[in-house]
Amino acid sequence: MVKMADARILVVDDEPDILSVLVYHLSREGYRVTTAVNGQGALTMADAERPDLIILDLMLPGMDGYEVLQRLRRADRTSAIPVILLTARRAEDERVRGFEVGADDYITKPFSARELTLRVEALLRRAKAEPVSASRRIAVGPVELDREAHRAFSDGAEVDLTPLEYRLLEVLLERRGRVQSRRQLLQAVWDTNAAIETRTVDMHVARLRTKLGGAAPLIETVRGIGYRFRALDK
Amino acid sequence: MVKMADARILVVDDEPDILSVLVYHLSREGYRVTTAVNGQGALTMADAERPDLIILDLMLPGMDGYEVLQRLRRADRTSAIPVILLTARRAEDERVRGFEVGADDYITKPFSARELTLRVEALLRRAKAEPVSASRRIAVGPVELDREAHRAFSDGAEVDLTPLEYRLLEVLLERRGRVQSRRQLLQAVWDTNAAIETRTVDMHVARLRTKLGGAAPLIETVRGIGYRFRALDK
DNA sequence: AACGGTTGTGACAAACTCGTGACGCTTCCC
DNA sequence: GGGAAGCGTCACGAGTTTGTCACAACCGTT
């Protein structure tokens, strides 16, 4: 496995104890760690340092974690940086909201050093694997999309998709590996804040699954959250 | 030395290890690499993607490399793409057969990264020296256009086209394989930002289809988007 | 002015797409 | 174990998109 050390990680937390624990473990793994103790600092740091990963506590004085995340995602320079949210709360809707705003992963306090480093490694690996393709062609596992030709392939064979199915697949592929809530998908695929039942997304996911075929479920269901295209990059 | 990066290369191999080695080295050189793991996928891909170069393993499950190559050479759209054959076998007659079928070069496993990139560069340079289109004649599948004489042929027989139909066909042929929205076609064929209904395009496409004849739909409809000219293997 | 050919548009039918209610199954939680 | 919530899937009808016909406007030529 490729060693991911040398990656730069920005840790954002206002509690000194937690901050130091995080810095300790991450440094030990060989990451270069920088810190911020509030939202404004986090944004400044993210923009200046362009870290490879951000670990962000939800509870911050002033601007809270959600807002930091939202601003990160809106800014061109930082919108692609993977973010792990950190929270003491376990509530389900916290998670949902986090994913909807664009978090890539989630850690609840208390956490073990092992859990931390595992998730960090996983995210860095994934980020490296996907060179953020706005390109002509997206390929993930057996599925491919030729955007110029507007064609989709599964296992090399062309798959006939309706316009909506095509867009849905495109969005899922672009955000492969990340959970997308039904609402996010609605927003991305139907673009407007259309008055459409979220259940409708299920229907189209089912249609896509059928058309793409294959034994392994390429589009995974994340119960209570939404869907995720399996990240199968080689 | 001219930098050849940005060229698109299709790599066809069923062994994951070899595939990833190839992809790694080629990506490193700046090429845009796509892959296929069997013959059928390779053909589909070659037709859709129109890579600048194909690296083709002889040993494939199902349809073997020779057959893939033969079919490539028979298809108008892909017949000019340089192909490098890849094989573990050293036998002389393998090489001979490969060249007879239309390979441009040959690499035996194991190979060094340097050998690979040298041959790729050489072939791309050669291919670039002879530009394909903007020429007097465009031929795609059964359809041919003689631009100097301003005449069109289908299956060898001349087709009588109106000026507008001719321009529309020309545009579609030049951008074959890519979807063109009705608006794009209007812009390209009627050039001005003419105040013309987009539905009018449909009408002319229908007229073209009728005149070009043939069972196979040469001009494909991409529902919700527009039209795309397609070349079919013979 | 008539004529033959070309081109744009409205109209309509056919084909296709897509949202939704319904229902049964699974998973989760108490 | 039982109920509730989440999810997969079927079927259907309204709505949209496309293929095609017919026709009128236009244009250069006779």
Side-chain angles (χ1 to χ4, degrees):
Chain A
M1 168 52 52
V2 187
K3 193 53 191 161
M4 282 295 169
D6 237 39
R8 289 166 310 173
I9 300 180
L10 170 61
V11 181
V12 187
D13 203 314
D14 64 314
E15 297 166 68
D17 290 349
I18 302 193
L19 194 61
S20 62
V21 168
L22 285 165
V23 172
Y24 172 75
H25 287 304
L26 293 171
S27 303
R28 222 168 97 118
E29 292 292 316
Y31 300 112
R32 287 178 285 160
V33 182
T34 55
T35 62
V37 294
N38 57 48
Q40 193 51 58
L43 292 175
T44 311
M45 214 57 140
D47 192 50
E49 290 284 323
R50 314 277 227 84
D52 300 297
L53 178 78
I54 299 175
I55 297 177
L56 177 63
D57 197 342
L58 272 180
M59 289 269 289
L60 291 173
M63 190 191 309
D64 73 6
Y66 292 122
E67 187 163 358
V68 175
L69 184 49
Q70 262 173 331
R71 295 201 188 194
L72 279 173
R73 290 303 182 230
R74 273 204 294 268
D76 281 343
R77 291 185 56 183
T78 56
S79 63
I81 302 175
V83 170
I84 297 179
L85 285 184
L86 195 61
T87 187
R89 288 171 284 184
R90 259 171 194 283
E92 184 75 4
D93 49 22
E94 290 287 336
R95 288 187 55 188
V96 175
R97 192 172 161 207
F99 280 123
E100 284 193 358
V101 179
D104 295 272
D105 206 346
Y106 214 88
I107 301 180
T108 51
K109 294 181 272 191
F111 53 86
S112 68
R114 181 172 158 69
E115 184 182 0
L116 172 71
T117 53
L118 276 181
R119 285 172 192 263
V120 166
E121 273 173 31
L123 261 187
L124 286 176
R125 207 179 318 125
R126 207 179 76 203
K128 189 164 195 174
E130 32 176 309
V132 185
S133 53
S135 62
R136 165 172 180 185
R137 202 171 189 97
I138 306 180
V140 180
V143 175
E144 295 197 58
L145 227 59
D146 183 331
R147 294 158 122 165
E148 270 185 28
H150 207 270
R151 304 212 277 180
F153 305 88
S154 180
D155 278 326
E158 179 158 12
V159 178
D160 187 39
L161 298 181
T162 71
L164 196 141
E165 285 160 1
Y166 182 91
R167 265 190 296 169
L168 177 59
L169 178 58
E170 193 176 22
V171 168
L172 286 171
L173 287 182
E174 276 172 353
R175 309 180 185 181
R176 79 200 88 140
R178 294 193 207 178
V179 192
Q180 297 298 115
S181 70
R182 291 175 176 71
R183 200 154 299 283
Q184 275 179 299
L185 290 173
L186 276 179
Q187 199 153 9
V189 175
W190 284 252
D191 37 53
T192 56
N193 25 13
I196 291 183
E197 298 291 319
T198 52
R199 284 304 313 279
T200 298
V201 176
D202 299 14
M203 189 66 243
H204 288 287
V205 167
R207 285 175 178 153
L208 252 188
R209 280 174 171 156
T210 306
K211 288 195 180 179
L212 292 180
L218 293 167
I219 304 175
E220 301 170 316
T221 303
V222 182
R223 196 159 214 279
I225 310 284
Y227 297 95
R228 172 180 55 203
F229 200 99
R230 278 177 75 188
L232 297 158
D233 295 313
K234 288 161 198 164
Chain B
M1 160 63 59
V2 187
K3 194 50 193 162
M4 283 294 172
D6 237 40
R8 291 168 308 178
I9 300 181
L10 170 62
V11 181
V12 187
D13 204 319
D14 64 317
E15 296 166 71
D17 288 350
I18 302 193
L19 193 62
S20 63
V21 167
L22 285 165
V23 172
Y24 173 75
H25 287 305
L26 293 171
S27 304
R28 223 169 98 117
E29 293 293 316
Y31 300 113
R32 286 177 287 162
V33 183
T34 56
T35 61
V37 295
N38 57 48
Q40 192 49 57
L43 291 174
T44 312
M45 213 61 127
D47 190 54
E49 171 79 14
R50 312 283 240 60
D52 300 298
L53 179 77
I54 298 175
I55 298 178
L56 178 64
D57 197 342
L58 274 179
M59 288 270 287
L60 291 174
M63 191 192 309
D64 72 13
Y66 291 120
E67 188 164 357
V68 175
L69 185 49
Q70 264 174 330
R71 296 202 188 192
L72 279 173
R73 290 308 184 223
R74 274 204 295 267
D76 278 312
R77 289 188 57 185
T78 53
S79 60
I81 302 174
V83 171
I84 297 180
L85 285 184
L86 193 63
T87 187
R89 288 170 281 183
R90 266 174 189 279
E92 186 69 7
D93 54 6
E94 290 284 341
R95 293 189 56 181
V96 173
R97 191 172 160 205
F99 281 120
E100 274 180 358
V101 179
D104 297 276
D105 208 339
Y106 213 91
I107 301 182
T108 52
K109 294 180 271 191
F111 55 87
S112 69
R114 183 172 158 69
E115 182 183 359
L116 172 70
T117 52
L118 276 181
R119 285 172 192 261
V120 166
E121 271 177 33
L123 263 186
L124 285 177
R125 212 177 315 125
R126 207 176 79 197
K128 192 166 195 174
E130 33 183 307
V132 187
S133 83
S135 59
R136 167 172 177 181
R137 211 169 183 88
I138 306 181
V140 180
V143 176
E144 268 185 86
L145 226 60
D146 183 332
R147 294 159 122 165
E148 270 182 30
H150 213 267
R151 303 208 290 179
F153 304 86
S154 179
D155 276 326
E158 179 157 12
V159 178
D160 186 38
L161 297 181
T162 71
L164 197 141
E165 285 160 1
Y166 180 90
R167 263 192 296 169
L168 177 58
L169 179 57
E170 192 176 20
V171 167
L172 285 171
L173 287 182
E174 278 172 351
R175 308 181 186 182
R176 75 199 91 136
R178 290 185 280 173
V179 196
Q180 299 298 117
S181 69
R182 291 175 176 72
R183 200 153 297 285
Q184 280 178 297
L185 290 172
L186 274 180
Q187 199 152 9
V189 175
W190 284 253
D191 39 55
T192 58
N193 27 10
I196 292 184
E197 297 292 318
T198 52
R199 284 305 313 279
T200 299
V201 175
D202 298 15
M203 189 66 245
H204 288 286
V205 166
R207 286 172 178 154
L208 251 187
R209 280 175 172 157
T210 308
K211 287 197 180 179
L212 292 180
L218 293 167
I219 303 176
E220 299 172 315
T221 303
V222 183
R223 200 157 220 278
I225 309 284
Y227 297 96
R228 174 183 58 203
F229 199 99
R230 165 140 202 216
L232 302 165
D233 295 358
K234 286 171 197 163

